[in-house]
C-alpha cells in the first residue's frame, strides 16, 4: 500500500473518530433534537410546554395561567431564579381564502435579518391547531415560468411575509375548517434538525431550544441533590410579544438574590466550543465566559422590566453560526457547559450530569380512506435520492418492484429498459429517475463544499436549510450555508454566487477522506412525502417519481401476452441534466412508431401564478402536453388520445406549459413524441404537490394506449 493511501486512510479514521458522543451526550442531543421540532410561537407555547412537563414526574412542574412552567427546589437563602424562554418567532394565520389558501402575519418580535421570511418560501410549514398538527407548504412560483414573467422572480427583492400563501392541499375554506385550522392558529417551518459530525446541532432557534433542555437537566439534577438555598426554575412564555411571562414569575416567586437568565439575543459566532456567552462575568464560575452585548434589547419597549430589586442579574447565551436561520448551529459541547454554568451558580464544583430520560412527542399520522397503494409506492420512491449521475438507489428500487414475468435490462447509461407484448407495432413510454439538486463542484481549503445546480430551480429556497451530502458509502448531514450578508441582504437571488455546504469537515483533506468527490458527489435536502389531504401530497422529487410510479402501476395485473403491441418502458437517467439517458436509449429504439414521455405538467394552478399559461388544475385528470417549450404535438395525435380517453371514461386535460421532456430523442428520428403528464404545483422546488386522482387517470390512459387494439400509431 502506498504512503498516499495510508495517509488517506488515517485521515478517514481521524474524521470518523474526532467527535464521538458519550452516552449522556446522546441522551441530551436526542432531547434537543426532539424538542427542536416542537412549535412554540410566542403566546402559543403549548406544544413546547407539554414536552417539558413530560420530562418530569407528574406534579413537579407547576403551570400558571400565562403558560409558565415553574419548579421550586430547596428552601431558604440564597434564593436564585434560573430561567429560559419557551417561545420562538413565528406566524399566525391571518386569513382563510375561499379557495383554501391561507395568509399569514408575524407574531411579536425576534425575526432577525432581512431574509428571515425568505427562509419560509418554498418550504414545508407546520400549523399547531387546537387539537392536532396540520402540515402545509409556503408556496413558490415555478422556476419554469420565470422567463415568461414581466418581473422575473430572480430580479425581486428579498421575499416578505406579505407575499406568502400557505397551501394545505384543499380547495375551499370549508375544507380548511374540516381540517381543524382556524384563524390565528400559529405556524412555523416544519423543522429539520441536523447533527453535524456528532459535534454540532443545527435547527431553527436551536440555541433557545437547547437552553430549555439544558435547564430541564439542571432541574433534574438539583431535584436529586442537597444544596444551600432555593432555586426557582422557570420556563417562561410570551417573551417575544410582551415579556410578561418572566415578569409574572418574578412578581410571584421573588424577590431573588440572583437571576441567571438565558438570553437568545446574546449572539456571537462559534469560536470556543466550551464557552458560554454572558453580558457580564458571572463571579466564582469556572465555565469559560465571553462577554457580548445583546443584539436586541431584553425587553419589548412597550412594557416594563421586572422588579429585580437588589438581585444580581446575569444573562447567559450560546455561541452560534448562521444565527436566526433555519440552520442556526451550536456546538453540542456548549450545551454541557450551559448546564454546568447554571449548576456552578449553586456551587462552584464539577457537577456530575445525569441526563433526563429521552422523550419525544409521538407523531400522529393523519388517516386517509383511499389511495393507499399509490401513496405507499410514491412515498417509497420519494425516499430514494437520485441526482444524476447517482440514480442507483432509485433504479434498484424500481427493479425490485417489477413483476415476476419481466426481464428488464440496464443499459450502459444506467436506464432500465423493459420490453413486453407481441405486436408488430412498437410503442415506448419514458419516465426519468433523476431529480433536481446539486453536485459538489469543488472542495474549499477549509473543508466546505462549493456546489453547482443540477436542473433549473430557484436555489434560494434551499439556502439556509438542512442538507444531505450523498457519498457512495453513506449520507452525511450538512447545511446549505446562508449567504454571508443574510442579515442585511436586499435581493432574493444572490447574484450567481454559489451556495456553500458545511458538513463538519475542517479541511479539504478531511472532506476527501470522507468520500467527497467533486463532479460526482451529490447534495440534496432531506425529504419525506407528506399527505396533505385525501387526494394531495407534497414532496421534493415528484418530478418525476410520479411518472416512474405511473409506469409501475400500469404493470399491475397486466398480462404481457395480451398486449397487442410491442411495448417498451424506459426509466431513464439524467433527464434534468440534458436528456442524457433517453437520447441514448432512443438510438436503439428507432423502430418505435410513437413515444410517450411521462413527466410533470408544470401547472399554473397556484395563487400567485398567471392562469393565462399552463393552467391545468390538480384533480381534473391526466394532462396531454400539446404545446411545450420545445414540442407541439399534431392534431391527429391529440384527437386520438382525446377519443381514447372518452371511450374509456378517463379524465384528461390538455394544454401548454414550459419545459421539455424525454421525448426529444424520438423526434430526432422522425418519431412523434406525445408527452403525457400529471399536473403539479411548485415544480423543481422542495414542496412539489400532486394529486393521486391525476396519477390514477394517467395510469388508466397508459393502459388504454397499450391495450386498445383498434389504434394504428
Amino acid at each position: 500500500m502506498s504512503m498516499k493511501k495510508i495517509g488517506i486512510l488515517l485521515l478517514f479514521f481521524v474524521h470518523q473518530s474526532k467527535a464521538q458522543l458519550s452516552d449522556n451526550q446522546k441522551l441530551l442531543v436526542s432531547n434537543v433534537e426532539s424538542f427542536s421540532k416542537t412549535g412554540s410561537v410566542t403566546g402559543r407555547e403549548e406544544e413546547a410546554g407539554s414536552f417539558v412537563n413530560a420530562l418530569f414526574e407528574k406534579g413537579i412542574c407547576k403551570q400558571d395561567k400565562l403558560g409558565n412552567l415553574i419548579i421550586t427546589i430547596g428552601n431558604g437563602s440564597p434564593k436564585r431564579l434560573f430561567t429560559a424562554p419557551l417561545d420562538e418567532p413565528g406566524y399566525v394565520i391571518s386569513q382563510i381564502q375561499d379557495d383554501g389558501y391561507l395568509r399569514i402575519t408575524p407574531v411579536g418580535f425576534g425575526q432577525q435579518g432581512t431574509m428571515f421570511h425568505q427562509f419560509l418560501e418554498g418550504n414545508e410549514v407546520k400549523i399547531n391547531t387546537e387539537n392536532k398538527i396540520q402540515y402545509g407548504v409556503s408556496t413558490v412560483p415555478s422556476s419554469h415560468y420565470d422567463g415568461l414573467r414581466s418581473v422575473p422572480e430572480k430580479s425581486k427583492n428579498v421575499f416578505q411575509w406579505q407575499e406568502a400563501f400557505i397551501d394545505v392541499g384543499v380547495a375551499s375554506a370549508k375544507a380548511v375548517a374540516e381540517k381543524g385550522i382556524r384563524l390565528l392558529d400559529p405556524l412555523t417551518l416544519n423543522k429539520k434538525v441536523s447533527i453535524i459530525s456528532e459535534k454540532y446541532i443545527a435547527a431553527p432557534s436551536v440555541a433557545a431550544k437547547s437552553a430549555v433542555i439544558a435547564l430541564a437537566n439542571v432541574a433534574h439534577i438539583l431535584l436529586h441533590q442537597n444544596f444551600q438555598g432555593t432555586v426557582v426554575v422557570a420556563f417562561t412564555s410570551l417573551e417575544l410579544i410582551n415579556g410578561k411571562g418572566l415578569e409574572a414569575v418574578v412578581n410571584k416567586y421573588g424577590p431573588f438574590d440572583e437571576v441567571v437568565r438565558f438570553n437568545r439575543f446574546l449572539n456571537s459566532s462559534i469560536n470556543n466550543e466550551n464557552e458560554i456567552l454572558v453580558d457580564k462575568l458571572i463571579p466564582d464560575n469556572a465555565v469559560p465566559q465571553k462577554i457580548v452585548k445583546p443584539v436586541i434589547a431584553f425587553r419589548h419597549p412597550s412594557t416594563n422590566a421586572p422588579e429585580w430589586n437588589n438581585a444580581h442579574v446575569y444573562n447567559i447565551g450560546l455561541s452560534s453560526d448562521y444565527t436566526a436561520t433555519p440552520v442556526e448551529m451550536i456546538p453540542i459541547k456548549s450545551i454541557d457547559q450551559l448546564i454546568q454554568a447554571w449548576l456552578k451558580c449553586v456551587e462552584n464544583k464539577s457537577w456530575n450530569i445525569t441526563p433526563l430520560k429521552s422523550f419525544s412527542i409521538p407523531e400522529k399520522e393523519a388517516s386517509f380512506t383511499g389511495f393507499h397503494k399509490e401513496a405507499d409506492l410514491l412515498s417509497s420512491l420519494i425516499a430514494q435520492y437520485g441526482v444524476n449521475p447517482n440514480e442507483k438507489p432509485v433504479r434498484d428500487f424500481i427493479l425490485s418492484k417489477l413483476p415476476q414475468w419481466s426481464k428488464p435490462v440496464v443499459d450502459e447509461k444506467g436506464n432500465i429498459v423493459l420490453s413486453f407484448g407481441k405486436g408488430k407495432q412498437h410503442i415506448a413510454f419514458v419516465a426519468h429517475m433523476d431529480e433536481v439538486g446539486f453536485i459538489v463542484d469543488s472542495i474549499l481549503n477549509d473543508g466546505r463544499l462549493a456546489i453547482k445546480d443540477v436542473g433549473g430551480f430557484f436555489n434560494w429556497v434551499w439556502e439556509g436549510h438542512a442538507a444531505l451530502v450523498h457519498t457512495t458509502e453513506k449520507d452525511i448531514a450538512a447545511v446549505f450555508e446562508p449567504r454571508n450578508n443574510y442579515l442585511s441582504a436586499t435581493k432574493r437571488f444572490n447574484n450567481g454566487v454559489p451556495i456553500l455546504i458545511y458538513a463538519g469537515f475542517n479541511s479539504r483533506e478531511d472532506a476527501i477522506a470522507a468520500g467527497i468527490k467533486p463532479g460526482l458527489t451529490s447534495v440534496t435536502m432531506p425529504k419525506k412525502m407528506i399527505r396533505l389531504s385525501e387526494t394531495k401530497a407534497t414532496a421534493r422529487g415528484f418530478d418525476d417519481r410520479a411518472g416512474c410510479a405511473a409506469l409501475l402501476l400500469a404493470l399491475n395485473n397486466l398480462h404481457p401476452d395480451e398486449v397487442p403491441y410491442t411495448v417498451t418502458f424506459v426509466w431513464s437517467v439524467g433527464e434534468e441534466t440534458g436528456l442524457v439517458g433517453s437520447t441514448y436509449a432512443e438510438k436503439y429504439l428507432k423502430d418505435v412508431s410513437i413515444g410517450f414521455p411521462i413527466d410533470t405538467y408544470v401547472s399554473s394552478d397556484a395563487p400567485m401564478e398567471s392562469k393565462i399559461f399552463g393552467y391545468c388544475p390538480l384533480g381534473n385528470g391526466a394532462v396531454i402536453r400539446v404545446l411545450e417549450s420545445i414540442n407541439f404535438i399534431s392534431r391527429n395525435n391529440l384527437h386520438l388520445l382525446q377519443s381514447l380517453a372518452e371511450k374509456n371514461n378517463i379524465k384528461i386535460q390538455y394544454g401548454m406549459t414550459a419545459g421539455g421532456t424525454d421525448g426529444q430523442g424520438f423526434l430526432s428520428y422522425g418519431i412523434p413524441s406525445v408527452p403525457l403528464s400529471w399536473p403539479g404545483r411548485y415544480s423543481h422546488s422542495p414542496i412539489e404537490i400532486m394529486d393521486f386522482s391525476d396519477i390514477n387517470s394517467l395510469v388508466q390512459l397508459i393502459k388504454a394506449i397499450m391495450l386498445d387494439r383498434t389504434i394504428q400509431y
Side-chain angles (χ1 to χ4, degrees):
M1 182 181 290
S2 69
M3 290 302 295
K4 182 178 180 181
K5 288 183 178 178
I6 292 172
I8 290 174
L9 279 175
L10 286 173
L11 280 169
F12 176 76
F13 288 123
V14 167
H15 173 73
Q16 290 295 96
S17 62
K18 68 181 180 182
Q20 296 295 321
L21 296 177
S22 67
D23 289 342
N24 283 355
Q25 285 178 319
K26 287 177 182 176
L27 279 172
L28 180 64
V29 168
S30 174
N31 277 331
V32 172
E33 185 175 8
S34 297
F35 185 63
S36 292
K37 296 176 183 178
T38 61
S40 55
V41 174
T42 188
R44 291 291 183 270
E45 299 95 345
E46 295 92 346
E47 187 183 10
S50 296
F51 186 105
V52 173
N53 201 24
L55 293 172
F56 298 94
E57 293 181 9
K58 188 175 181 180
I60 295 292
C61 290
K62 307 297 182 185
Q63 186 168 15
D64 68 16
K65 292 180 180 180
L66 296 186
N68 296 307
L69 293 174
I70 302 100
I71 303 173
T72 302
I73 312 167
N75 56 75
S77 297
K79 191 173 187 180
R80 299 181 176 92
L81 172 64
F82 297 166
T83 180
L86 289 169
D87 61 346
E88 64 182 326
Y91 307 85
V92 294
I93 295 165
S94 57
Q95 184 183 6
I96 299 172
Q97 297 187 166
D98 291 341
D99 59 6
Y101 287 95
L102 315 178
R103 308 306 300 271
I104 59 172
T105 190
V107 183
F109 65 106
Q111 297 92 358
Q112 296 183 57
T114 55
M115 286 181 62
F116 185 91
H117 306 298
Q118 182 159 305
F119 294 128
L120 190 73
E121 186 187 24
N123 282 277
E124 298 164 6
V125 298
K126 172 182 173 181
I127 304 168
N128 284 70
T129 75
E130 189 170 355
N131 298 314
K132 58 184 175 180
I133 303 299
Q134 294 285 358
Y135 294 97
V137 301
S138 176
T139 66
V140 61
S142 171
S143 59
H144 286 79
Y145 292 147
D146 217 34
L148 301 172
R149 296 186 177 103
S150 57
V151 181
E153 295 296 304
K154 286 187 176 182
S155 70
K156 291 182 178 179
N157 291 336
V158 289
F159 181 85
Q160 298 298 322
W161 61 267
Q162 294 93 335
E163 301 173 68
F165 290 86
I166 305 301
D167 187 343
V168 293
V170 297
S172 69
K174 179 182 177 182
V176 171
E178 289 170 352
K179 290 171 73 71
I181 297 172
R182 301 290 184 267
L183 285 173
L184 304 182
D185 278 345
L187 177 148
T188 64
L189 279 169
N190 183 28
K191 301 161 191 170
K192 312 289 173 65
V193 183
S194 300
I195 310 299
I196 311 294
S197 196
E198 291 199 316
K199 191 175 181 181
Y200 304 102
I201 184 166
S205 301
V206 74
K209 296 282 189 180
S210 296
V212 170
I213 297 300
L215 185 54
N217 276 271
V218 169
H220 172 69
I221 293 165
L222 293 179
L223 282 165
H224 298 89
Q225 295 284 329
N226 293 319
F227 58 90
Q228 184 177 350
T230 306
V231 172
V232 175
V233 172
F235 306 94
T236 59
S237 63
L238 303 172
E239 177 174 281
L240 294 175
I241 193 166
N242 57 32
K244 293 299 183 181
L246 176 58
E247 190 173 336
V249 170
V250 172
N251 288 335
K252 182 173 182 179
Y253 292 88
F256 296 101
D257 299 298
E258 185 178 66
V259 176
V260 185
R261 168 191 173 268
F262 183 82
N263 187 337
R264 74 182 94 211
F265 298 121
L266 292 178
N267 297 161
S268 179
S269 58
I270 299 169
N271 182 31
N272 179 351
E273 295 171 12
N274 292 307
E275 72 185 4
I276 64 166
L277 306 178
V278 295
D279 63 339
K280 58 187 175 186
L281 287 177
I282 305 173
D284 302 320
N285 197 304
V287 172
Q289 303 170 50
K290 178 182 179 180
I291 299 176
V292 297
K293 293 182 178 180
V295 297
I296 295 179
F298 162 36
R299 304 297 302 172
H300 192 281
S302 66
T303 64
N304 297 318
E307 293 295 333
W308 299 118
N309 295 317
N310 297 319
H312 298 285
V313 180
Y314 303 97
N315 288 281
I316 58 178
L318 291 174
S319 299
S320 60
D321 288 338
Y322 324 126
T323 307
T325 76
V327 291
E328 180 175 283
M329 185 174 74
I330 62 169
I332 291 170
K333 280 185 181 179
S334 69
I335 307 173
D336 287 327
Q337 293 296 79
L338 185 60
I339 294 170
Q340 288 286 353
W342 264 311
L343 291 171
K344 288 178 187 294
C345 289
V346 177
E347 185 176 345
N348 192 19
K349 67 177 185 179
S350 182
W351 289 77
N352 181 30
I353 296 178
T354 53
L356 283 158
K357 64 182 179 181
S358 182
F359 176 74
S360 61
I361 296 175
E363 189 170 334
K364 296 179 181 177
E365 295 286 342
S367 59
F368 300 99
T369 60
F371 300 110
H372 298 302
K373 177 177 62 178
E374 296 85 355
D376 289 346
L377 178 59
L378 268 167
S379 179
S380 297
L381 269 168
I382 288 295
Q384 315 306 317
Y385 294 86
V387 174
N388 181 259
N390 301 313
E391 292 102 323
K392 185 178 185 300
V394 189
R395 179 168 54 246
D396 290 346
F397 178 83
I398 291 172
L399 287 169
S400 74
K401 293 297 180 181
L402 293 176
Q404 289 186 346
W405 55 258
S406 67
K407 296 179 180 179
V409 173
V410 177
D411 69 18
E412 292 181 5
K413 287 291 185 182
N415 302 308
I416 300 173
V417 183
L418 173 64
S419 293
F420 54 91
K422 58 183 182 180
K424 291 182 180 180
Q425 274 202 93
H426 189 181
I427 61 177
F429 298 83
V430 187
H432 67 87
M433 296 184 289
D434 63 324
E435 63 193 82
V436 298
F438 301 86
I439 287 288
V440 174
D441 190 44
S442 62
I443 305 172
L444 278 60
N445 289 335
D446 63 7
R448 290 182 297 166
L449 312 177
I451 56 176
K452 60 181 179 181
D453 300 3
V454 177
F457 49 88
F458 297 144
N459 62 19
W460 65 79
V461 302
W462 307 59
E463 183 181 2
H465 288 276
L468 282 178
V469 180
H470 305 283
T471 71
T472 55
E473 299 297 325
K474 61 180 179 179
D475 294 341
I476 300 172
V479 300
F480 292 100
E481 287 193 335
R483 64 194 73 169
N484 289 335
N485 67 333
Y486 71 89
L487 290 171
S488 59
T490 59
K491 290 295 182 181
R492 201 162 301 200
F493 185 57
N494 197 24
N495 296 321
V497 177
I499 296 176
L500 297 177
I501 296 294
Y502 180 71
F505 309 132
N506 296 318
S507 66
R508 189 173 186 276
E509 293 75 18
D510 199 10
I512 292 171
I516 307 302
K517 299 176 182 178
L520 293 175
T521 300
S522 60
V523 181
T524 66
M525 181 186 285
K527 58 176 178 171
K528 177 184 177 183
M529 191 186 86
I530 299 174
R531 288 192 71 168
L532 299 176
S533 63
E534 186 66 33
T535 64
K536 292 182 178 62
T538 184
R540 186 178 62 74
F542 278 143
D543 180 7
D544 186 32
R545 302 301 162 75
C548 292
L551 291 186
L552 286 172
L553 290 166
L555 293 173
N556 286 348
N557 303 316
L558 184 74
H559 299 287
D561 291 339
E562 297 177 2
V563 177
Y565 309 101
T566 296
V567 177
T568 297
F569 280 10
V570 179
W571 288 270
S572 68
V573 300
E575 190 268 354
E576 302 292 1
T577 56
L579 316 181
V580 175
S582 60
T583 52
Y584 179 81
E586 285 151 0
K587 289 179 181 178
Y588 55 76
L589 294 174
K590 295 178 185 177
D591 66 329
V592 166
S593 299
I594 190 168
F596 297 99
I598 311 296
D599 209 339
T600 314
Y601 181 90
V602 181
S603 178
S604 59
D605 180 23
M608 63 291 175
E609 298 281 24
S610 168
K611 305 299 186 290
I612 197 171
F613 192 89
Y615 184 60
C616 282
L618 274 64
N620 282 13
V623 182
I624 306 166
R625 292 171 59 139
V626 178
L627 173 63
E628 54 188 20
S629 301
I630 49 177
N631 192 25
F632 198 175
I633 74 170
S634 70
R635 286 191 174 94
N636 285 341
N637 284 327
L638 173 60
H639 295 330
L640 183 153
L641 291 178
Q642 288 173 321
S643 299
L644 192 62
E646 184 178 1
K647 177 180 177 181
N648 291 275
N649 197 28
I650 301 169
K651 288 180 66 175
I652 64 164
Q653 309 175 75
Y654 55 94
M656 55 185 176
T657 189
T661 68
D662 268 325
Q664 291 300 298
F666 289 124
L667 293 169
S668 298
Y669 299 102
I671 302 167
S673 172
V674 181
L676 306 179
S677 298
W678 52 276
R681 294 178 189 149
Y682 325 126
S683 62
H684 284 196
S685 81
I687 56 158
E688 294 171 357
I689 288 183
M690 50 74 62
D691 190 297
F692 293 114
S693 67
D694 296 328
I695 298 298
N696 275 357
S697 295
L698 179 57
V699 172
Q700 292 171 40
L701 186 59
I702 293 169
K703 282 193 168 185
I705 291 168
M706 290 193 296
L707 297 174
D708 194 300
R709 297 174 181 272
T710 66
I711 300 174
Q712 289 294 312
Y713 292 107

